[in-house]
Amino acid sequence: MGLEYAEEMGIGFAPDKWDDLLGFARSSGLSIDLMKEMGLLKVGEKGNTYDVYRNRVVIPIRDRFRRIIGFTARDMSGDKVAKYMNSTESDIYHKRDSIFGIDTAIRQAAKEDKFYLVEGAPDAMQLKRIRVNNAVAPLGGDWTENQMEQLKKYATKLCFLPDADPPNLERSEKLGAGIRNVMRNGMLAMKCGFGVSVKELPMGEEQSKNDPDSYCTSIQKFQELKEVDFIPWYASYIFQDINTTEERSDAINTICTMVVMVKDEVKESMYLKQLQSFYEDKKLWQKAINRAKKLDKAKQVIDESKKIDRDLYQKYGFYEEYNAYFALAGDSGKAVQWSNFIMMPMFHIKDSLLPKRLYRIKNQNKQEEIIEMKQEDLVSLSKFKQKVEGLGNYIWLATEKELTKLKMFLYEQTETALEVTQLGWQRQGFFAYGNGCFDTEWHAADEYGIVRLKNGNFYLPGCSTIYRDDVKLFQFERKFIYTSYNNVSLREYSEKLIRVFGDNAKVGLCFLFATLFRDIISGQTKSFPILNIFGPKGSGKSELGKSLMSFFVIDNKAPNIQNATIAALSDAVAQCANALVHLDEYKNSIDLDKREFLKGLWDGTGRSRMNMDRDKKREITSVDCGIILSGQEMLTIDIALFSRLIYLTFNKTEYSNEEKRAFNECDAISLQGLSHLALQLLRHRSKMETDFSTNYRQCMNDLNERLKETTIEDRIQRNWVIPLAAFRTLEAVLDVPFTYRELLGICVDGIIRQNRECKSNNELANFWNVVSYLQQDGEIFLEADFRIDYLSNLKTNKVKDLTFKQPRPILRMQTDRIFMLYKKFARQVGDNALPTESLKFYIENSKEYLGVQNSVRFKNILKGVEVTKEVETGGQKYYRKTSMTKQALCFDYTELMTNYNINLNIDMGMTDGEEEAQNNKPRENGTSPYMF
């Protein structure tokens, strides 16, 4: 079978020792009495306890819920002992009720509407190994009616594979044991209402024994076996050994009894034609069939109640027949139909608010559907009928009283599963994608969205056939999936990513590593940073985010933070845990509420909302993912938000052909999905759990040593140390093209750069707020201390010839009075003003700054009144407003308003020439001494 299959099925070996299991039980503190009761240990005549299974391959026997209920053990000694030894009867194991392989067969059997029946456990395991998963076997001897009824819950057809045994001539056998077994068991299956067929194996070399275990070595050999109907197959053998009229009559009557069981006139006619090849008299066959029908009818009348499931009827008051529910009416015993369908319970989906149940529903026309029913659909008769009738021809004919009895039955038979409502890491110890789960191995969801793990069953509705045709539901879950298209290694992908994005890729990868274990990290740090990717259009910032997202979502389309509502953003970040979420198109002009929302992501609080489902109290939606935030604007409007980031800058917008080719290669790999790499990384969770705390402290010490000459804001350093510590923890088990020391240097540079930007923008924000206050308080004046003009082009010492597509507001400011008033105001409120040189440095290095113009005209205003000069022209005196030219600092006023939220009263005004001409022109009526 192979080691992998043995491990999957839990197959083991009992050593050839008398007390090996006994010693293990004692050392492990297991109950010796319980193991005796289960037949694993026995007490000898002298009172000594010994192992029952010795020198045997031990195979678990499971029930349909995959619970181990017993063992079947094959002898490996070759001695003349029982080849197979099964568990003794117990409270949980009953040989005549148990079916080997039922746990893994029912899904495929339900899909194909067929089981393959073989004689022994090895035969069933071999068929499963070649992907015939709907193979089952009894545990020694013949099949029982109880076992048949269990199979009937999942399929209506059975195909037998008899062992090819040579007859024992010493016992005067004419047919081998395998053929005789199928003749008996096939007839039982016909009586139980199955459609029965046979795949007969050829004899081995020199007429030796053959069985499915030895013969079906591949799916091709299995498929090559011809499948024939049971009735003509049975007839071909029974007519081989007929010598007398009495024997022939008995054979014909037995065969016709089976024909009548089919209850299909078309098939009956076809069988009649085939049976004439064994005995040519058609009239005799027809007469025998008619006689069998009468006997069958009489038997139905006499034994009406015997055909129902007695236990089912006595306990719940109904029985199942022909894919419908029936009850017996009063004294007459006449069958009363409740429905034209039956419901097979699949799973109860636990949820404190919206519990659901999954059923397979099948009607008398053998039409079948999977249905998901909310609890309210089962509480009300009208809602129940509305739900089932909405699927098609599924009619409930009885009352609410009968529906309650049906629910009692269905609820007792239902297996429980827990719905996965948030993908990614689960507190039960596994990582969920939309199409399966990973604990230490990948477990794909079945067609109903169910994943069976060691610690329970889990429901992924996004991949269930129930919602297959509804494209509006579970859109994220259908994108957040595991794929196996890609075989690129982590090192190969990292090298390509770094070739395209440089050091930013290294930080991004380490942020990804940390995100995969966010719950561990934030449990110690109480916060988790936002990865901010900032740069102009075409710089590649969004592409890095898209590349990192391909570990979870292929070709991810990041939501636009400008257009999305806070509720939509909250839903986006709450969809997964220990995985990445990318938000794009950040601008400083976003609403204050959105900025506060982004701050909440740092400590994982998300947003506050009213819980309308439970008690209508306010609750905080937690954030369990790693956030990538990209945009063309630096987050300078809110320093508290800026200090919650790991700040990466992209400055390059033009790339060589070689760089473009490298990017295309990287993008092509990303589009195949990188979820296989995420699973490789998740295998190291235990290392992160045990070692992260120590590495975090060591990384903090390393940063402190490197930054001891620099004053760094604590929050910024604590942000950067998280991906650094995550990498240091995993470095020994990761194959990537960079080292901890290299990453440490990158983080030191990043911390210093972000700290400088934070300090610069904090001081600048204070300065511009003072300027705005001075203007509103009448201390500085438009046109006198600063001016705002719409210009089409600009020349300064920094930009030689800047041309705008449309006139753009430019702030030009002479600094003599403003710098002095800034310092005065700071003293009045008890703040420390920046030294002039430091202030100039910050201003000249801000992105709003456009340079210096040497000759800019400003009005002379003193105490709020323009200074005028007396002028005489043509014997008439009037007063002219005065002005002067000064050196002015130039700024992009739109950027200032966006980044610092200031308003200095934009004047839509005139150009310098228009203003000067206006100032020298007297009013037309000549009555005013002032010129405007």
Side-chain angles (χ1 to χ4, degrees):
M1 291 293 181
L3 178 61
E4 183 179 350
Y5 181 81
E7 289 178 345
E8 180 183 346
M9 299 301 295
I11 300 171
F13 177 71
D16 191 12
K17 296 180 180 179
W18 289 83
D19 60 354
D20 199 67
L21 179 61
L22 176 63
F24 172 78
R26 285 173 173 166
S27 64
S28 302
L30 300 177
S31 171
I32 304 298
D33 291 337
L34 181 60
M35 297 184 78
K36 291 176 183 177
E37 186 180 340
M38 298 307 298
L40 298 173
L41 300 174
K42 279 189 177 181
V43 179
E45 294 179 359
K46 297 180 179 180
N48 60 308
T49 302
Y50 63 91
D51 296 356
V52 172
Y53 300 126
R54 302 179 303 281
N55 199 14
R56 290 179 180 269
V57 173
V58 182
I59 305 166
I61 302 169
R62 293 182 168 89
D63 65 10
R64 66 189 181 102
F65 301 122
R66 292 192 60 79
R67 298 176 299 203
I68 295 177
I69 57 175
F71 299 96
T72 182
R74 189 188 192 284
D75 177 64
M76 301 301 292
S77 67
D79 298 337
K80 290 186 177 181
V81 294
K83 185 177 180 182
Y84 282 94
M85 183 184 291
N86 294 332
S87 290
T88 56
E89 294 282 317
S90 69
D91 289 341
I92 61 172
Y93 173 70
H94 303 283
K95 177 181 174 181
R96 293 179 60 81
D97 296 339
S98 302
I99 302 173
F100 183 84
I102 189 70
D103 56 315
T104 55
I106 53 180
R107 287 199 297 272
Q108 189 70 19
K111 186 176 181 180
E112 296 182 12
D113 194 26
K114 180 185 289 186
F115 282 102
Y116 289 99
L117 274 59
V118 293
E119 286 193 25
D123 300 323
M125 289 192 294
Q126 174 61 17
L127 291 184
K128 291 175 189 293
R129 191 186 70 81
I130 62 172
R131 300 305 176 209
V132 184
N133 293 318
N134 45 336
V136 292
L139 290 153
D142 288 337
W143 288 89
T144 65
E145 285 191 32
N146 197 3
Q147 290 169 327
M148 290 290 176
E149 290 303 320
Q150 290 182 56
L151 298 179
K152 201 171 182 181
K153 293 178 181 180
Y154 306 101
T156 62
K157 300 172 187 173
L158 302 180
C159 178
F160 287 88
L161 277 78
D163 286 358
D165 300 308
N168 189 329
L169 300 179
E170 294 179 0
R171 298 179 182 175
S172 301
E173 291 178 356
K174 296 181 179 179
L175 298 176
I179 299 298
R180 297 199 308 274
N181 285 340
V182 170
M183 291 179 75
R184 287 194 309 274
N185 292 316
M187 188 175 294
L188 174 66
M190 293 284 299
K191 289 179 180 177
C192 292
F194 286 101
V196 184
S197 60
V198 181
K199 274 180 175 282
E200 189 171 341
L201 275 65
M203 297 291 290
E205 295 182 3
E206 298 180 358
Q207 294 298 297
S208 62
K209 175 182 172 64
N210 236 345
D211 57 27
D213 182 20
S214 58
Y215 181 80
C216 296
T217 56
S218 68
I219 188 66
Q220 290 79 16
K221 292 195 73 173
F222 172 81
Q223 292 171 341
E224 287 169 1
L225 293 173
K226 185 178 180 181
E227 186 171 345
V228 298
D229 287 335
F230 174 74
I231 292 176
W233 178 86
Y234 180 94
S236 69
Y237 279 105
I238 201 171
F239 272 98
Q240 285 181 13
D241 191 33
I242 288 179
N243 298 311
T244 67
T245 301
E246 188 70 24
E247 290 175 343
R248 184 175 293 107
S249 173
D250 289 344
I252 290 174
N253 287 331
T254 299
I255 293 169
C256 289
T257 299
M258 289 191 287
V259 172
V260 171
M261 293 177 190
V262 176
K263 300 187 185 303
D264 186 310
E265 292 183 359
V266 174
K267 289 181 181 179
E268 180 183 310
S269 299
M270 296 172 69
Y271 282 135
L272 182 60
K273 189 173 182 180
Q274 293 179 55
L275 292 171
Q276 289 175 58
S277 64
F278 304 108
Y279 189 77
E280 296 181 354
D281 192 336
K282 179 180 179 180
K283 290 183 178 179
L284 180 63
W285 281 109
Q286 188 65 64
K287 186 176 180 180
I289 289 174
N290 291 337
R291 179 175 179 274
K293 285 182 178 179
K294 289 180 180 179
L295 290 173
D296 183 62
K297 183 74 172 177
K299 190 173 183 301
Q300 286 184 37
V301 173
I302 296 170
D303 300 320
E304 181 68 27
S305 64
K306 291 183 180 179
K307 68 182 179 180
I308 69 174
D309 185 328
R310 272 289 168 195
D311 290 338
L312 177 66
Y313 188 79
Q314 288 177 3
K315 189 171 184 178
Y316 302 106
F318 69 90
Y319 63 94
E320 297 176 8
E321 187 180 26
Y322 308 127
N323 294 335
Y325 292 122
F326 292 87
L328 299 179
D331 298 333
S332 67
K334 184 178 180 181
V336 178
Q337 188 170 356
W338 284 9
S339 69
N340 72 339
F341 63 86
I342 58 172
M343 296 173 69
M344 287 140 284
M346 295 172 61
F347 282 95
H348 168 222
I349 310 302
K350 289 179 65 176
D351 188 281
S352 59
L353 295 177
L354 296 172
K356 293 171 281 193
R357 295 176 184 269
L358 302 184
Y359 296 101
R360 190 158 59 93
I361 184 169
K362 190 173 185 179
N363 67 13
Q364 290 179 304
N365 297 330
K366 297 187 177 180
Q367 295 170 330
E368 190 172 331
E369 297 284 348
I370 303 298
I371 183 172
E372 180 183 278
M373 304 190 82
K374 298 177 183 177
Q375 197 62 40
E376 62 187 45
D377 297 328
L378 291 159
V379 171
S380 163
L381 176 62
S382 60
K383 288 187 176 181
F384 175 79
K385 295 176 72 172
Q386 183 178 2
K387 187 75 175 182
V388 297
E389 290 180 20
L391 291 174
N393 184 18
Y394 301 92
I395 308 297
W396 180 257
L397 303 169
T399 67
E400 191 158 357
K401 178 181 178 181
E402 287 73 28
L403 177 60
T404 300
K405 293 181 180 180
L406 175 61
K407 286 192 296 184
M408 290 171 63
F409 165 69
L410 294 176
Y411 288 5
E412 190 171 296
Q413 307 300 313
T414 306
E415 197 173 352
T416 297
L418 186 66
E419 182 172 355
V420 176
T421 56
Q422 182 188 49
L423 297 181
W425 182 251
Q426 309 295 310
R427 60 182 177 82
Q428 292 86 356
F430 63 91
F431 193 95
Y433 278 88
N435 59 340
C437 300
F438 175 83
D439 42 24
T440 56
E441 300 295 334
W442 173 250
H443 304 272
D446 65 19
E447 60 185 312
Y448 310 121
I450 300 295
V451 182
R452 297 176 183 271
L453 300 178
K454 293 177 182 177
N455 54 355
N457 303 315
F458 297 89
Y459 178 45
L460 296 166
C463 66
S464 173
T465 53
I466 299 172
Y467 300 106
R468 179 181 52 205
D469 300 326
D470 198 333
V471 296
K472 294 180 181 179
L473 295 178
F474 305 109
Q475 294 184 11
F476 174 75
E477 288 80 357
R478 290 167 181 172
K479 296 174 185 174
F480 193 102
I481 58 172
Y482 168 76
T483 62
S484 55
Y485 313 137
N486 209 334
N487 59 2
V488 67
S489 69
L490 180 61
R491 185 173 187 95
E492 290 172 330
Y493 184 70
S494 300
E495 287 173 344
K496 293 181 183 295
L497 199 69
I498 292 168
R499 195 182 312 154
V500 176
F501 298 110
D503 288 346
N504 285 344
K506 298 173 186 176
V507 177
L509 284 169
C510 293
F511 183 79
L512 166 70
F513 301 157
T515 296
L516 285 168
F517 309 103
R518 187 190 190 281
D519 64 310
I520 299 172
I521 293 171
S522 59
Q524 298 183 44
T525 64
K526 309 306 178 188
S527 63
F528 198 84
I530 299 168
L531 181 66
N532 177 224
I533 308 176
F534 159 72
K537 185 177 182 181
S539 60
K541 60 185 184 304
S542 297
E543 283 69 23
L544 176 59
K546 182 179 176 182
S547 298
L548 296 175
M549 284 298 300
S550 61
F551 282 72
F552 309 100
V553 177
I554 298 175
D555 197 21
N556 180 63
K557 301 294 188 297
N560 186 324
I561 196 171
Q562 289 282 314
N563 302 332
T565 63
I566 292 180
L569 293 172
S570 296
D571 290 342
V573 301
Q575 291 179 115
C576 56
N578 287 17
L580 292 173
V581 171
H582 185 189
L583 306 177
D584 200 10
E585 299 297 337
Y586 171 85
K587 291 186 178 180
N588 283 322
S589 58
I590 64 170
D591 299 338
L592 176 62
D593 288 345
K594 287 183 181 177
R595 294 208 304 271
E596 293 302 314
F597 166 76
L598 290 174
K599 290 180 192 176
L601 301 180
W602 181 76
D603 55 14
T605 55
R607 74 180 182 111
S608 171
R609 72 180 183 94
M610 183 76 76
N611 189 320
M612 301 304 293
D613 298 320
R614 289 188 174 92
D615 47 15
K616 296 186 179 181
K617 294 181 179 179
R618 299 204 70 80
E619 68 174 12
I620 301 295
T621 58
S622 62
V623 179
D624 306 309
C625 61
I627 305 295
I628 301 174
L629 180 64
S630 58
Q632 298 178 36
E633 295 185 7
M634 192 190 307
L635 284 75
T636 52
I637 195 169
D638 193 325
I639 297 303
L641 175 57
F642 187 69
S643 66
R644 285 168 163 80
L645 314 173
I646 292 174
Y647 170 64
L648 301 182
T649 59
F650 283 69
N651 300 317
K652 192 173 180 179
T653 57
E654 295 183 359
Y655 297 90
S656 66
N657 290 332
E658 177 63 28
E659 290 171 323
K660 291 178 181 177
R661 185 160 47 252
F663 169 75
N664 290 334
E665 289 178 6
C666 193
D667 189 51
I669 294 172
S670 299
L671 288 174
Q672 295 179 55
L674 298 170
S675 52
H676 70 292
L677 297 182
L679 298 196
Q680 291 176 21
L681 293 165
L682 286 166
R683 293 182 186 275
H684 306 302
R685 180 176 174 87
S686 60
K687 188 171 182 61
M688 186 66 73
E689 287 175 331
T690 57
D691 298 350
F692 176 78
S693 182
T694 301
N695 283 286
Y696 180 87
R697 290 192 296 271
Q698 184 58 53
C699 290
M700 188 63 80
N701 291 337
D702 291 345
L703 287 175
N704 289 337
E705 179 63 26
R706 293 283 194 100
L707 298 166
K708 62 184 178 182
E709 303 298 329
T710 310
T711 302
I712 299 296
E713 183 172 335
D714 179 62
R715 185 184 286 171
I716 292 175
Q717 183 170 330
R718 285 191 287 116
N719 289 341
W720 281 84
V721 76
I722 285 176
L724 181 64
F727 177 71
R728 194 178 194 277
T729 304
L730 300 175
E731 184 179 17
V733 294
L734 296 181
D735 184 14
V736 291
F738 55 92
T739 64
Y740 170 71
R741 287 294 161 190
E742 184 181 346
L743 184 66
L744 177 62
I746 294 170
C747 289
V748 167
D749 293 341
I751 290 170
I752 293 173
R753 180 181 64 251
Q754 185 170 348
N755 191 70
R756 184 175 60 242
E757 293 286 358
C758 187
K759 185 174 181 181
S760 169
N761 285 287
N762 198 24
E763 297 292 355
L764 284 175
N766 184 47
F767 169 74
W768 286 113
N769 286 335
V770 171
V771 170
S772 179
Y773 171 77
L774 293 173
Q775 187 267 338
Q776 294 172 23
D777 204 41
E779 293 287 343
I780 61 174
F781 304 97
L782 184 67
E783 305 290 345
D785 297 289
F786 65 92
R787 52 185 301 147
I788 301 169
D789 302 294
Y790 276 79
L791 304 179
S792 297
N793 53 71
L794 180 69
K795 290 182 181 180
T796 68
N797 66 336
K798 184 178 179 181
V799 290
K800 299 303 180 185
D801 189 8
L802 182 62
T803 302
F804 305 113
K805 292 182 180 179
Q806 294 181 343
R808 191 168 182 85
I810 304 299
L811 170 67
R812 292 182 288 185
M813 181 176 69
Q814 59 112 341
T815 59
D816 294 347
R817 292 184 67 250
I818 290 179
F819 279 12
M820 179 189 68
L821 291 169
Y822 159 71
K823 292 180 179 180
K824 179 181 176 182
F825 178 80
R827 287 194 299 271
Q828 288 175 348
V829 296
D831 279 347
N832 292 322
L834 281 175
T836 301
E837 290 306 315
S838 297
L839 181 58
K840 283 185 177 180
F841 173 81
Y842 285 142
I843 287 175
E844 291 171 2
N845 284 278
S846 66
K847 67 175 184 177
E848 304 87 11
Y849 178 71
L850 298 174
V852 175
Q853 280 188 337
N854 288 323
S855 299
V856 179
R857 185 172 295 279
F858 292 94
K859 292 180 179 179
N860 287 319
I861 297 180
L862 183 62
K863 295 182 179 181
V865 179
E866 289 191 47
V867 178
T868 60
K869 180 181 178 181
E870 185 177 81
V871 178
E872 185 175 345
T873 302
Q876 183 179 4
K877 293 181 181 180
Y878 62 93
Y879 295 93
R880 175 185 295 169
K881 296 176 181 179
T882 60
S883 61
M884 58 184 171
T885 58
K886 287 270 191 175
Q887 188 182 71
L889 304 182
C890 301
F891 302 89
D892 185 324
Y893 183 64
T894 302
E895 291 287 330
L896 284 175
M897 286 193 299
T898 300
N899 295 337
Y900 302 108
N901 197 28
I902 63 170
N903 186 348
L904 301 178
N905 292 334
I906 297 177
D907 182 45
M908 301 301 290
M910 302 170 283
T911 65
D912 290 348
E914 291 172 334
E915 182 181 359
E916 188 170 353
Q918 179 72 7
N919 286 341
N920 289 302
K921 180 179 179 182
R923 291 175 66 89
E924 291 184 2
N925 59 17
T927 59
S928 171
Y930 295 97
M931 176 182 153
F932 296 93

